[in-house]
Amino acid sequence: MNIQWYPGHMTKAKRAMKEDIKLIDLVIELVDARAPFSSRNPDIDELARGKFRLILLNKSDLAKEQANTLWSQWFQEQGFYVLEVNSRSGMGLKKINSMVLEACKEKLERDRKRGILNRPVRAMVVGIPNVGKSTFINSFAGKACTKTGNKPGVTKGNQWIRLNKTLELLDTPGILWPRFEDQKVGLLLAMLGSIKDEILNQEELALELLRLLERKHPEALAERYGIMEEVSEDESLRPLSMLHQIAKVRACLMKGGEPDLSKAAGFLIDDFRSGKLGRITLELPDEVKKQ
């Protein structure tokens, strides 16, 4: 399953970000806690060179708690400030202001020595599509400042939001990079909902997700669908056999009683994305180092 998605507006958005970065003190990057490495745009490091950096492990309530800790340590070792957050519930957001001031203390001290007082820190909020940037900004601001949606590509242009006297945020559209050299990354992003669903084969994606879940989180499949005892013992046939069983359990049947695999695939993908399969992490730091 080959996945590539880079619509034209992303080129324009990246160009605008390159211009705006000159005004920025701090880059706040949201990643999906279920796949923190794969959900980082590698172009951001070049774009944000020389800027203070804060990584937010968003949707951390959907990822394994122990894995969140490992990823926080990993990013800290790379020189980032890190917080685990859940933008939807507001968990962790109260810590951001103090962490921003900590990250930018050198800049604030330089301003003070120059006699520049009360100039707010300007932070650019970046991340791939559907990672939760707009939800984060609205929750952090305590009001609806930006459009949100449970699909990639809702935010189209840059937008300044003044939160208080000490912090201004620049909301940016979610951007990917022109080509996924590692198709594993593309697959994980498709599973997370960061690739437009309309360009994907949902059944193929569901089979790939089942392969990954059986290897890493078989208990999630057993608890949600109760299917692990009934699937084929042939390894190559197991994902398809599991999808058949999910169709049976969820009553996804066509006329004549045949399983509706497309509908079952949709249920599985939605169950994973919404957290109904439990807390799941798709990749760990030690796996990234082996790549």
Side-chain angles (χ1 to χ4, degrees), residues 209-223:
L209 179 57
L210 285 167
R211 286 189 186 94
L212 189 56
L213 291 176
E214 186 183 21
R215 193 170 77 247
K216 290 178 172 288
H217 301 280
E219 75 289 347
L221 294 172
E223 289 171 15

Side-chain angles (χ1 to χ4, degrees), residues 232-247:
S232 170
E233 293 184 9
D234 185 328
E235 192 172 329
S236 64
L237 297 176
R238 285 180 71 80
L240 184 58
S241 177
M242 284 188 277
L243 193 57
H244 273 267
Q245 291 298 325
I246 291 171

